[in-house]
Amino acid sequence: DQQVKQNSPSLSVQEGRISILNCDYTNSMFDYFLWYKKYPAEGPTFLISISSIKDKNEDGRFTVFLNKSAKHLSLHIVPSQPGDSAVYFCAAPISGTYKYIFGTGTRLKVLA
Amino acid sequence: DAGITQSPRYKITETGRQVTLMCHQTWSHSYMFWYRQDLGHGLRLIYYSAAADITDKGEVSDGYVVSRSKTENFPLTLESATRSQTSVYFCASKIVGGSNYNEQFFGPGTRLTVL
C-alpha cells in the first residue's frame, strides 16, 4: 500500500504567524518528497522538495522537515502571508517508476 | 508562449458522448501525465507517458484512453463520458535529470462537467 496522507483538509493562520502543514506516508521506500501549491483555477506549481537523505530543506520562508522514522513530513511557512492562501499537496514518486502519489491536499487560509 | 497548455479550459458534455481533452507542451519534456482532481481524493493519476508512443495506465484509467504520436502532445479521450468523470483534469510534464529531476510542471486544467 503506497499512500501519502494529508489528514488536515484545512488550516487557518494569522498573517505573520507560522503555518505548519503535515503529510504522512506509508511506504518507507519513498526516497523523495515534493510540495506543490495550487491556487483556484490554476494548475499546481512546485514549491519545495526534500530527498530522503536529508531531514530538512529550506527555501526562503518555506522549510520542509522529514522524519523518516515516523514516516512524516511537514511544511513550515514563516512568516505566513495572505498570498500563501492556497491548497498545498504533498507528493512522492514511486521508486523505480515515474508514477507519483499525491496527498488529498490541505487548504491554507492566511488571515490578514 | 512557452509552457504547457490545455484546451478547452471548460467543457460541458452529456453522458455517453466522446470527449477529448488536449494537452500541449513546448519544452520537449519526455514525460507527460494526466491527473484528475476531485474533492477528498487529491490528484489521481489517470495515464502517463515516457515518450512518444509509450504510454501506461495510472490508478484510475478505466473509461479513458490516451495517445502520444508526438512528444509535445498528449490528448486524453473519454470514450463514453459518465457523470463520475465530472472533474478537473490536469496535464503535466517533466524532464529527465536536472536539479529538480522529479518536479512536474502542470497545465492550467480543464474543468469537465458531464450531465
Side-chain angles (χ1 to χ4, degrees):
Chain A
D1 182 24
Q2 306 192 78
Q3 285 191 344
V4 175
K5 301 175 186 177
Q6 294 177 258
N7 293 317
S8 298
S10 64
L11 174 68
S12 291
V13 172
Q14 284 295 131
E15 181 180 6
R17 306 294 287 266
I18 184 171
S19 295
I20 300 176
L21 294 88
N22 295 305
C23 183
D24 297 297
Y25 60 96
T26 57
N27 186 348
S28 58
M29 297 299 290
F30 285 149
D31 58 9
Y32 204 83
F33 300 90
L34 306 94
W35 285 93
Y36 286 85
K37 178 179 182 179
K38 185 186 177 306
Y39 291 119
E42 296 183 9
T45 54
F46 170 74
L47 184 60
I48 192 169
S49 62
I50 188 165
S51 166
S52 61
I53 63 173
K54 296 184 176 182
D55 54 18
K56 176 182 174 181
N57 189 26
E58 191 172 354
D59 184 1
R61 296 185 298 113
F62 303 91
T63 303
V64 57
F65 295 92
L66 177 61
N67 182 334
K68 290 184 285 294
S69 61
K71 296 192 182 71
H72 177 82
L73 64 155
S74 60
L75 174 68
H76 292 212
I77 307 174
V78 183
S80 301
Q81 299 175 352
D84 296 328
S85 297
V87 177
Y88 290 80
F89 293 98
C90 62
I94 299 174
S95 299
T97 78
Y98 45 97
K99 291 184 184 183
Y100 289 72
I101 301 292
F102 280 79
T104 52
T106 296
R107 182 177 301 277
L108 173 66
K109 189 170 185 178
V110 180
L111 307 170
Chain B
D1 289 341
I4 184 164
T5 57
Q6 294 182 235
S7 61
R9 293 295 312 277
Y10 302 90
K11 177 74 177 178
I12 300 174
T13 191
E14 294 177 339
T15 301
R17 289 190 180 265
Q18 183 179 82
V19 177
T20 296
L21 309 184
M22 305 300 293
C23 178
H24 175 79
Q25 52 108 352
T26 60
W27 294 306
S28 298
H29 286 174
S30 295
Y31 296 144
M32 295 189 76
F33 308 82
W34 275 105
Y35 293 90
R36 58 179 289 176
Q37 183 194 6
D38 304 287
L39 200 62
H41 291 280
L43 291 163
R44 291 183 292 174
L45 182 64
I46 304 171
Y47 265 97
Y48 55 104
S49 169
D53 298 321
I54 302 175
T55 62
D56 208 347
K57 295 180 178 180
E59 59 180 309
V60 290
S61 60
D62 287 348
Y64 303 94
V65 294
V66 292
S67 61
R68 196 166 175 208
S69 57
K70 293 183 178 182
T71 299
E72 62 266 29
N73 296 324
F74 192 37
L76 175 74
T77 298
L78 288 67
E79 296 179 295
S80 177
T82 65
R83 289 196 180 91
S84 66
Q85 293 177 311
T86 293
S87 186
V88 181
Y89 291 84
F90 290 101
C91 179
S93 69
K94 91 175 179 71
I95 62 171
V96 179
S99 61
N100 280 324
Y101 70 96
N102 275 322
E103 174 189 355
Q104 294 181 69
F105 297 85
F106 283 83
T110 294
R111 182 175 292 276
L112 176 68
T113 301
V114 183
L115 302 176

